[in-house]
Amino acid sequence: MNSTRPVLVVGASGFVGSRVARGLAADGRAVLAVARHTLPERVTVQPSVIPVLGADPAAQADAVREACARAGVPLPGAVVASIGGWQKGPDLLDLDPAEWSATLASHLTAHLDAARALAPLLGPGDPYVVLNGAASREAMAGSGAVSVTGAGLAMLVQVLRLEAQRAGAVPPVRFHELVIDHAVAGDDRNEDPAQTRAPAQVVRALGELLDDPGAPAVLHV
């Protein structure tokens, strides 16, 4: 990506998203931090972070344009979507239907809503990176809704990539999936994980995807 254009991080108030936003800013990148809730201090302490708060999906593109105009920066040259997260609960057959619907909305539909709103802000060859987790590849009892939506998210990114290529732009927007194969260190929701990945490892992997036009469609960290 063009390093003079900011990276837009969606979900910048979440556990992983906030650490991604902080890490990218610490690496010297301008960051547009999109969140529905107040950003944690770990994000706002970075002077190159530009908050974009309270935007519902339909209004996100306009909110980003307004934030860029106020800050005097160009439109983003990349999007990183850290939406959804991880949770444990009942087995699928015991899961409340309302909770199932809520997980579909927050872990899958929200990604499509974000892509609809924000991918049009990017130019030819710009990267759009979706973060996914180990549950998307490994069936996890007690986290069945997350496994199912994660698998669907992987396919969503594949379809977006194929359709971007078919649209005929040269080069097309680059849709990537970054799969975090183990628990992110410091997240107390994980019960005695066998392995963890430090936030810095996630940020380094993101840097590869953002800066390399020939980066793989799917990268594991």
Side-chain angles (χ1 to χ4, degrees):
M1 63 169 289
N2 185 330
S3 60
T4 64
R5 296 164 63 199
V7 181
L8 193 158
V9 179
V10 187
S13 62
F15 181 87
V16 176
S18 64
R19 286 157 176 79
V20 163
R22 178 183 67 182
L24 292 173
D27 283 348
R29 302 175 193 261
V31 172
L32 291 157
V34 178
R36 293 188 179 187
H37 309 291
T38 302
L39 289 165
E41 186 179 358
R42 73 176 67 92
V43 177
T44 57
V45 72
Q46 298 290 343
S48 60
V49 168
I50 303 161
V52 185
L53 298 177
D56 64 59
Q60 274 185 351
D62 287 340
V64 169
R65 290 188 183 95
E66 291 168 7
C68 290
R70 286 195 304 270
V73 299
L75 288 176
V79 173
V80 175
S82 178
I83 302 171
W86 181 83
Q87 62 200 42
K88 253 191 126 170
D91 289 351
L92 274 180
L93 295 182
D94 299 322
L95 188 66
D96 185 278
E99 187 174 345
W100 167 260
S101 296
T103 305
L104 286 177
S106 63
H107 287 59
L108 187 54
T109 304
H111 273 284
L112 180 57
D113 289 341
R116 282 177 174 149
L118 302 174
L121 297 177
L122 300 177
D126 286 343
Y128 190 115
V129 183
V130 171
L131 270 59
N132 210 343
S136 64
R137 269 67 178 179
E138 177 186 352
M140 294 189 177
S143 296
V146 176
S147 284
V148 172
T149 52
L153 179 58
M155 181 55 70
L156 174 66
V157 179
Q158 289 184 50
V159 173
L160 291 174
R161 184 184 314 115
L162 180 63
E163 291 179 345
Q165 294 167 351
R166 189 183 64 176
V170 182
V173 170
R174 298 189 281 118
F175 284 95
H176 297 272
E177 182 192 13
L178 178 62
V179 185
I180 306 171
D181 284 324
H182 300 280
V184 177
D187 190 344
D188 293 337
R189 294 171 298 178
N190 296 297
E191 300 173 0
D192 193 25
Q195 295 187 53
T196 60
R197 294 290 179 264
Q201 292 176 279
V202 178
V203 173
R204 280 197 300 272
L206 267 174
E208 293 179 34
L209 294 178
L210 296 178
D211 296 335
D212 181 6
V218 180
L219 183 64
H220 291 257
V221 61

